[in-house]
């Protein structure tokens, strides 16, 4: 971890400086005690480096885990569609006819093989279709092969199985000697013995190569692979580093996040199992993600870090769960140590005021170096944590982009199937006969076919057969039979009836329709073919968009390492105009305009957009991806419909910008020093800050600065009242004046405030301030009396110093502040009485 090594070396050099300062401090009796600060910074440095290592390791694994999880989830969703395809194709009447005919001969086989070619022209994910009879003999097939029959156990399993399909990966005698993914289903009529087995051979290598290509950019060192239950690698994105057939050790298949040694090289390793889709878990494979150790921790901000909104890092560090509580604790502890050190130096400088000891100059110089060392140490803490926040935000942006790409890829793959389904089902001879005969019997036959299809394909709310005038002839759902005899409307109906080839289809716009209960959806349609050229009608499929898109988006919401959705994260589908198609969050109604500040015109197909935006009072990391289609869908079939997926993760609430408060310690006061005799006697001013205002009191009137903890609020104290309560100091209670309330100026964060104890009217008085400042020595002649600047007499100030080295400094009158406190206490008592 090169960045952490650099911080360790810098902290080591600072520790050496602390050692030297400690030694010098022992030579000065007036020096601030540094042993506690030195030990605290040393202990915190060790904790910081450890937490930085933990977070860096976690960040490196997050990206490769996202890729591995997306890879297996995309594959499983694709394979789920195959389990429906095999069942429907087995019910095809042409398949039954060939198996049941004793004299079909070569012509019957040729006709069925032509139908197989028509099927694969639409469902291009298959490389072969093989039809076997009950004895395993090949009756028809798509690809040439020497084997005339199969003796493989898959035939007996399919014939005897009661679970529907059989999913098999391995060599198959009638397919290939190499491993192939095959789906088998018995061909049978209800109540009869099975007459054969149908095999669908999936283009697994082609599909996996496409998945890996989308998930791994060319410059990415990640390696993705799928492994069987025994650890054998089925597919790999890098055959050199992880060849197919290699058997991984058992720990590689567990989500242990341990180093994995392969081929003499060490890898960070993750293992992900399928999340499942509608109960389907796939073949039981594990997705493996590997990252070479030598490249795992290269510091790259990544896409979108340049777009981080102002104030985002403060918001993230303040209340976000982007980093662990341990690391945020380190940041807070470092600030507390530095604040205590500054106060100690400030008090040390106060003790040197008007001192006549010989070593005053040495003591002040030592105090200055102590303050500088503390500032440099805290700067390293802040820089290291700030850099890590930037890289973590970059990693979250990358995760959002990856999840958006996953969402749009799943959508394209899903709708690809819809375009295939309508074209294939339109070829069913039952529909052509029903449209030609137009009898009650033919209408019932069409209804039964539609119902059987819909039972297998639950992603549709209804399937509709309509004639050349758009009149509804049959529907799949009994609840939709009121549509029978009605005429369909819409441009998609006209376009469907104008189609002339079996490869063409039409799609409606995503809009509300009565076919879907008034909700918005897509309707896919294809023409029923006719020898005359003019279609006698068409088949329309009403996509069940609401639950289907909701499921896609829920699966696309970014998650933590445990698989739980990140709090507040959401995902959207938008059309090219920015209107919401679907959302995982109720704040984005369907049809509304997306309120996120994202320019969709900046996104091109195949590319991702990452940026941070402000929405609903919160900073968000946004990832967006544009639809690029799947295989021929939206690429070679003439259909164009741009959809954008957006994934968002909250980074932290928008907070008001912190007031500019100087944190310079007292040792930096030399810039404002004026020697006696230049313009009169020298006055040392103990300064402090309230918000952006620089104030001070004569240093000789200051007793000490203390923390603002354990201030005892007096009874009946009202919010905003100048009297804050009492602080116990050296065994005695000291009344505390809220200086911001007295001067009517805004205060900073209460957890950072301190108390300056001064002498006023013969007693100790505490002034509540935001931060301590320098202690400049100014010539009396440089103090401009307040009466020369304003006629107001309600400001408890002596004057203003305009050349104190750090801006305009107002010198307060501690005597008047004492009177103000007495008055505030009296008013409170009278009010209580």
């Amino acid at each position: 971890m090169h960045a952490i090594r650099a911080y360790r070396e810098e902290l080591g050099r600072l520790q050496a400086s602390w050692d030297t300062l400690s030694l010098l401090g022992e030579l000065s009796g007036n020096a601030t005690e540094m042993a506690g600060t030195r030990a605290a910074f040393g202990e915190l440095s060790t904790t910081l480096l450890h937490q930085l290592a933990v977070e860096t390791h976690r960040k490196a694994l997050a990206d490769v885990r996202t890729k591995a999880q997306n890879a297996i989830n995309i594959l499983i969703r694709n394979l789920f569609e195959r389990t429906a395809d095999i069942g429907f194709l087995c019910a095809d009447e042409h398949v039954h006819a060939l198996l049941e005919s004793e004299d079909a001969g070569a012509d019957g086989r040729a006709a069925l093989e032509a139908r197989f070619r028509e099927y694969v022209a639409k469902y291009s994910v298959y490389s072969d279709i093989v039809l076997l009879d009950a004895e395993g003999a090949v009756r028809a097939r798509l690809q040439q092969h020497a084997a005339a029959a199969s003796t493989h156990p898959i035939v007996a399993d399919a014939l005897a199985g009661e679970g529907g399909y059989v999913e098999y990966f391995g060599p198959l005698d009638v397919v290939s000697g190499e491993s192939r993914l095959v789906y088998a289903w018995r061909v049978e009529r209800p109540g009869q013995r099975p007459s054969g087995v149908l095999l669908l051979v999936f283009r697994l290598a082609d599909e996996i190569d496409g998945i890996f290509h989308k998930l791994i950019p060319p410059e990415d060192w990640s390696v993705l692979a799928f492994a069987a239950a025994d650890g054998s690698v089925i597919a790999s994105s890098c055959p050199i580093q992880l060849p197919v057939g290699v058997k991984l050790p058992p720990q590689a298949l567990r989500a242990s996040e341990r180093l994995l040694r392969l081929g003499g090289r060490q890898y960070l390793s993750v293992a992900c199992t399928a999340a499942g889709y509608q109960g389907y878990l796939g073949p039981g494979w594990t997705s493996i993600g590997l990252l070479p150790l030598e490249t795992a921790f290269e510091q790259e901000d990544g896409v979108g870090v340049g777009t981080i909104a102002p104030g985002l890092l403060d918001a993230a560090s303040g209340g976000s769960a982007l980093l662990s509580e341990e690391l945020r604790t380190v940041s807070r502890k470092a600030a507390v140590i530095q604040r205590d050190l500054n106060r100690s130096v400030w008090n040390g400088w106060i003790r040197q005021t008007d001192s006549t000891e010989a070593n005053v100059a040495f003591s002040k110089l030592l105090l200055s170096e102590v303050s500088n060392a503390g500032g440099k140490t805290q700067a390293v803490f802040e820089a290291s944590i700030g850099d890590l926040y930037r890289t973590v935000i970059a990693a979250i942006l990358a995760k959002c982009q990856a999840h958006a790409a996953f969402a749009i890829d799943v959508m394209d793959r899903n709708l690809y199937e819809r375009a295939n389904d309508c074209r294939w089902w339109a070829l069913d001879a039952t529909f052509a006969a029903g449209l030609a005969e137009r009898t009650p019997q033919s209408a019932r036959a069409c209804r039964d076919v539609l119902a059987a299809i819909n039972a297998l394909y639950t992603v549709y709310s209804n399937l509709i057969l309509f004639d050349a005038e758009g009149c509804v002839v049959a529907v799949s759902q009994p609840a939709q039979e009121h549509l029978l005899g009605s005429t369909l409307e819409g441009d998609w109906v006209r376009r469907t009836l104008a189609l002339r080839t079996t490869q063409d289809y039409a799609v409606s716009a995503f809009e509300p329709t009565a076919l879907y209960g008034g909700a918005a959806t897509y309707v896919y349609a294809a023409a029923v073919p006719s020898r005359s050229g003019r279609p006698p009608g068409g088949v329309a499929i009403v996509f069940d968009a609401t639950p289907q898109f909701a499921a896609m988006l829920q699966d696309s919401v970014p998650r933590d390492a445990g698989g739980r959705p990140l709090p507040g994260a959401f995902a959207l589908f938008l059309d090219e105009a920015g209107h919401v198609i679907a959302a995982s969050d109720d704040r984005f109604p369907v049809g509304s305009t997306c309120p996120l500040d994202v320019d969709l015109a900046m996104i091109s197909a195949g590319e991702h957009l990452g940026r941070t935006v402000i929405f609903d009072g919160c900073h968000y990391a946004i990832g967006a991806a544009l639809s690029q289609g799947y295989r021929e869908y939206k690429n070679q079939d003439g259909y164009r419909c741009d959809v954008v997926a957006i994934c968002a993760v909250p980074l932290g609430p928008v907070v008001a910008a912190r007031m500019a408060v100087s944190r310079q310690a007292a040792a930096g006061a030399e810039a404002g020093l004026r020697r006696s005799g230049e313009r009169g006697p020298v006055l040392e001013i103990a300064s402090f800050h309230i918000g952006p205002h620089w104030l001070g009191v004569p240093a000789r009137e200051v007793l000490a600065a203390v923390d603002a903890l354990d201030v005892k609020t007096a009874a009946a104290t009202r919010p905003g009242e100048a009297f804050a309560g009492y602080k116990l100091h050296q065994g005695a209670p000291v009344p505390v004046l809220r200086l911001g309330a007295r001067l009517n100026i805004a205060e900073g964060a209460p957890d950072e405030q301190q108390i300056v104890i001064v002498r006023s009217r013969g007693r100790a008085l505490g002034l509540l301030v935001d931060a301590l400042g320098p202690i400049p020595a100014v010539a009396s002649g440089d103090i401009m009396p307040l009466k020369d600047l304003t006629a107001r007499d309600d400001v408890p100030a002596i004057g203003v110093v305009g050349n104190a080295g750090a801006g305009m400094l107002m010198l307060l009158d501690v005597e008047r502040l004492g009177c103000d406190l007495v008055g505030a206490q009296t008013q409170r008592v009278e009010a209580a009485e």
Side-chain angles (χ1 to χ4, degrees), residues 356-389:
T356 58
E357 295 184 13
N359 65 345
V360 168
F362 173 74
S363 295
K364 290 186 176 182
L365 179 61
L366 180 60
L367 289 170
S368 177
E369 290 303 317
V370 170
S371 180
N372 289 338
K376 290 177 182 179
T377 304
Q378 188 185 16
V380 174
F381 278 69
E382 292 176 349
S384 60
I385 296 174
D387 286 347
L388 189 57
Y389 265 115

Side-chain angles (χ1 to χ4, degrees), residues 14 17-18 21-22 31-34 37-38 41 334 337-349 362-380 662-670 772-775:
L14 287 169
S17 297
W18 280 109
L21 290 171
S22 295
T32 301
E33 175 58 45
M34 289 172 288
T37 301
R38 174 192 174 205
F41 268 132
I337 293 173
Q338 181 62 32
R339 187 162 61 247
D340 291 346
L341 174 64
N342 284 348
R343 184 169 63 246
S344 180
V345 170
W346 200 84
N347 286 332
W349 196 280
F362 173 74
S363 295
K364 290 186 176 182
L365 179 61
L366 180 60
L367 289 170
S368 177
E369 290 303 317
V370 170
S371 180
N372 289 338
K376 290 177 182 179
T377 304
Q378 188 185 16
V380 174
S662 170
R663 303 186 186 281
Q664 180 184 6
E670 283 76 36
L772 301 175
I775 304 180

Side-chain angles (χ1 to χ4, degrees), residues 607-630:
E607 296 183 358
H608 309 147
L609 173 68
R611 60 172 302 179
T612 59
V613 300
I614 294 176
F615 168 69
D616 203 17
C618 190
H619 292 279
Y620 279 87
I622 298 289
L626 177 66
S627 168
Q628 57 180 321
Y630 172 64

Side-chain angles (χ1 to χ4, degrees), residues 587-782:
R587 289 178 294 177
F588 306 92
V590 174
S592 64
T593 300
C594 177
L596 300 177
D597 183 18
V598 179
D599 186 359
L600 302 183
M602 296 176 59
I603 313 171
S604 57
E607 296 183 358
H608 309 147
L609 173 68
R611 60 172 302 179
T612 59
V613 300
I614 294 176
F615 168 69
D616 203 17
C618 190
H619 292 279
Y620 279 87
I622 298 289
L626 177 66
S627 168
Q628 57 180 321
Y630 172 64
R631 304 182 78 88
E632 64 275 6
Y633 176 68
K634 291 188 179 182
N635 292 314
Q636 301 170 9
D637 58 6
Y639 176 55
R640 173 70 183 273
C641 180
D642 287 341
V643 176
V644 173
I646 288 182
C647 288
V649 171
L651 300 174
V654 176
V655 294
R658 294 187 180 183
M659 294 184 178
V661 176
S662 170
R663 303 186 186 281
Q664 180 184 6
E670 283 76 36
L673 188 65
R674 295 290 185 273
R675 287 183 170 80
S676 177
E678 289 183 356
R679 295 187 60 184
V682 169
L683 175 67
E684 290 186 283
I685 300 177
S687 73
F688 39 81
H689 297 268
I690 298 180
H693 302 281
W694 191 24
L695 311 168
V697 295
R700 61 175 177 267
E701 303 297 339
V702 176
L703 298 175
V706 298
D707 62 64
L709 301 177
D710 301 324
V711 173
K712 303 300 182 182
T713 304
T717 299
R718 298 183 301 274
E721 185 179 345
F723 177 56
Y726 294 92
K727 170 71 177 180
L728 193 65
H729 177 62
Q730 295 181 348
V734 176
V736 178
L737 179 70
R738 182 174 286 110
L739 200 52
R742 169 61 185 88
L743 301 176
N744 196 28
I745 55 180
E747 300 174 332
D751 58 344
E752 297 182 1
Q753 289 182 318
Q754 303 187 63
I755 297 174
V756 175
I757 300 178
V758 299
R759 300 183 191 89
S760 176
R761 302 174 61 82
R763 60 177 294 185
L765 168 66
L767 305 177
L768 193 64
V769 303
D770 290 344
L772 301 175
I775 304 180
V778 302
S780 299
D782 289 336

Side-chain angles (χ1 to χ4, degrees), residues 87-292:
F88 177 71
L89 193 55
C90 281
D92 190 271
E93 185 59 33
H94 299 80
V95 172
H96 283 285
L98 181 65
L99 289 176
E100 294 168 358
S101 175
E102 297 181 357
D103 57 352
D107 290 342
R109 175 167 179 161
L112 184 58
E113 290 176 347
R115 187 163 175 81
F116 286 168
R117 284 191 293 273
E118 185 82 46
Y119 185 84
V120 171
K122 296 166 180 59
Y123 298 88
S124 57
V125 295
Y126 298 112
S127 62
D128 201 1
I129 304 175
V130 184
L131 178 63
L132 309 174
D133 62 22
E135 285 70 42
V138 176
R139 298 295 301 274
R141 67 176 308 145
L142 193 61
Q143 302 291 343
Q144 295 290 331
H145 195 278
S150 175
T151 59
H152 195 278
I154 192 174
V155 178
D157 290 344
L159 290 172
E162 296 182 358
Y165 67 90
V166 174
E167 190 174 50
Y168 168 75
F169 178 75
L172 185 56
D173 51 10
V174 292
V175 176
S176 173
E178 299 179 355
S179 293
R180 295 288 186 269
L181 183 59
V182 179
Y183 290 85
W185 196 309
R186 62 187 180 275
V187 180
E188 64 178 349
R189 293 192 185 275
Q192 298 182 14
R193 293 172 57 86
S195 57
V197 173
L198 188 69
L199 306 177
L200 278 178
V201 184
F202 182 64
R203 295 182 184 271
L204 181 65
D206 181 58
E207 173 67 14
I208 291 178
D209 285 346
I211 293 174
F212 289 164
H213 178 73
K214 284 187 177 181
L215 291 176
I216 306 177
E219 69 280 1
D220 197 327
W221 286 87
S222 302
V223 177
L224 295 178
F226 293 122
D230 65 352
S232 300
V233 175
I234 294 167
S236 170
S237 65
C238 183
I240 297 175
Q241 297 185 75
L242 192 57
V244 172
V246 167
K247 193 167 185 179
L248 296 173
Q251 65 266 27
L253 303 182
R254 298 192 294 267
S256 61
E257 299 183 355
R258 298 176 58 187
L259 283 178
L260 185 67
R261 187 187 300 274
L262 291 173
R265 197 176 196 182
Q266 288 183 308
Y267 296 88
L268 294 181
S269 172
V270 298
C272 301
T273 56
Y277 180 64
Q278 295 192 15
Y280 173 73
L281 295 174
W285 298 339
T286 300
S287 183
I288 306 296
L290 303 177
L291 195 58

